[in-house]
């Protein structure tokens, strides 16, 4: 039976780095669900679909052929969009598109299908709460705000810390306060704050949680 490790938390907490390392270490498939929301947002922007147009956004989300490939490459309808979905404009648009219930329903269905045949490490905002409430292992990965801004500025050296901080705060507030599947810690998720820890230390801490939960026999 395929297993799911769910990693949720705010932007900049270090989820992608750790989810990728963990997947490699365990031989599971890494699934970045944020890339799916970003892909729908990119397509919507290109088609001039407004973030308020729930009907057309749903059509795009259902029709989008999103490929999550090796080395974290992302394809949308056959095109490599790995870099195109990482701009600040798409970050903001993805957070808006992700507030639309019908978009979420379409993408959650795709996410569940991805885990039908293979074990996955899946990262996002609602994996442990909505997508896989019975996931074998759930981690809520957090980091202090200053650290999250610092990590983002390493990834986007051209943007000022002030601007990054404002963008991150706006996006997080929207992701936490939306009606549909807001970012919250699942009651049975293990909380980990990665502030001041190296990726190796975070990985070790998570592996300890994984081992403890798996030997407890919790299923899925
Ligand atoms: O993880 P990320 O920054 O690439 O995600 C982009 C946006 O998508 C983020 O603002 C929140 C949203 N998202 C979501 O609502 N649910 C998920 N499972 C993953 C991402």
């Amino acid at each position: 039976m395929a297993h799911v490790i769910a990693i949720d938390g705010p932007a900049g907490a270090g989820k992608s780095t750790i989810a990728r390392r963990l997947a490699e270490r365990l031989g599971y498939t890494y699934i970045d669900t944020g890339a799916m929301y970003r892909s729908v947002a990119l397509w919507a922007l290109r088609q001039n679909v407004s973030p308020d147009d729930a009907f057309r956004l749903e059509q795009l989300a259902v029709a989008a052929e999103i490929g999550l490939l090796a080395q974290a490459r992302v394809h949308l309808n056959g095109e490599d969009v790995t870099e195109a979905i990482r701009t600040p404009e798409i970050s903001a648009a993805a957070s808006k598109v992700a507030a639309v219930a019908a978009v979420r329903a379409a993408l959650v269905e795709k996410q569940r299908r991805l885990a039908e045949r293979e074990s996955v490490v899946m990262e996002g905002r609602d994996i442990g709460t909505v997508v896989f409430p019975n996931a074998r292992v759930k981690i809520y990965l957090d980091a202090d705000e200053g650290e999250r801004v610092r990590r983002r500025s390493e990834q986007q050296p051209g943007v000022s810390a002030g601007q990054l901080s404002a963008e991150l705060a706006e996006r997080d507030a929207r992701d936490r306060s939306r009606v549909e599947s807001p970012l919250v810690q699942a009651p049975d998720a293990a909380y980990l704050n990665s502030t001041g820890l190296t990726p190796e230390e975070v990985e070790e801490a998570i592996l300890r949680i994984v081992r403890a939960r798996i030997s407890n026999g919790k299923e899925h």
Side-chain angles (χ1 to χ4, degrees):
M1 184 183 169
H3 297 301
V4 176
I5 294 182
I7 303 188
D8 293 303
K15 297 188 299 296
S16 302
T17 308
I18 219 60
R20 274 158 84 161
R21 292 175 70 114
L22 207 59
E24 201 164 301
R25 183 115 174 214
L26 299 170
Y28 287 15
T29 300
Y30 163 62
I31 307 283
D32 172 5
T33 62
M36 301 173 83
Y37 290 94
R38 287 171 181 272
S39 296
V40 172
L42 176 69
W43 200 8
L45 277 180
R46 286 179 174 175
Q47 300 282 323
N48 281 322
V49 172
S50 144
D52 303 320
D53 190 343
F55 180 74
R56 291 194 65 201
L57 287 175
E58 178 184 15
Q59 289 182 318
L60 295 186
V62 169
E65 285 177 20
I66 303 169
L68 302 176
L69 310 179
Q71 315 297 330
R73 305 300 301 178
V74 182
H75 283 195
L76 169 64
N77 304 327
E79 176 194 347
D80 188 329
V81 295
T82 312
E83 281 80 31
I85 59 169
R86 298 290 159 197
T87 65
E89 188 189 15
I90 296 295
S91 298
S95 170
K96 290 181 189 153
V97 160
V100 176
V103 168
R104 301 201 69 83
L107 295 187
V108 166
E109 194 187 315
K110 291 186 203 291
Q111 290 154 17
R112 289 186 179 142
R113 247 185 280 137
L114 285 171
E116 268 169 13
R117 277 187 205 87
E118 49 192 10
S119 293
V120 297
V121 178
M122 194 174 281
E123 63 140 311
R125 305 293 188 288
D126 61 338
I127 311 305
T129 49
V130 174
V131 186
F132 289 106
N134 297 321
R136 183 170 230 204
V137 178
K138 299 182 188 178
I139 313 279
Y140 188 90
L141 188 63
D142 205 357
D144 296 352
E145 200 187 322
E147 175 100 355
R148 299 197 288 114
V149 172
R150 194 185 56 71
R151 286 193 189 136
R152 276 292 130 111
S153 44
E154 277 171 12
Q155 291 161 354
Q156 299 179 341
V159 191
S160 78
Q163 191 186 336
L164 276 176
S165 169
E167 282 170 7
L168 207 68
E170 186 188 334
R171 193 146 75 90
D172 270 349
R174 196 182 302 116
D175 295 340
R176 286 181 208 275
S177 66
R178 66 181 175 226
V179 174
E180 204 57 45
S181 309
L183 169 64
V184 285
Q185 182 183 347
D188 54 348
Y191 178 90
L192 184 65
N193 189 317
S194 68
T195 309
L197 299 181
T198 63
E200 291 76 18
E201 289 169 330
V202 178
E203 186 180 347
E204 278 315 310
I206 292 185
L207 277 172
R208 275 197 294 276
I209 298 166
V210 171
R211 288 191 200 106
R213 298 243 170 155
I214 288 180
S215 64
N216 271 343
K218 200 173 177 231
E219 266 314 312
H220 193 88

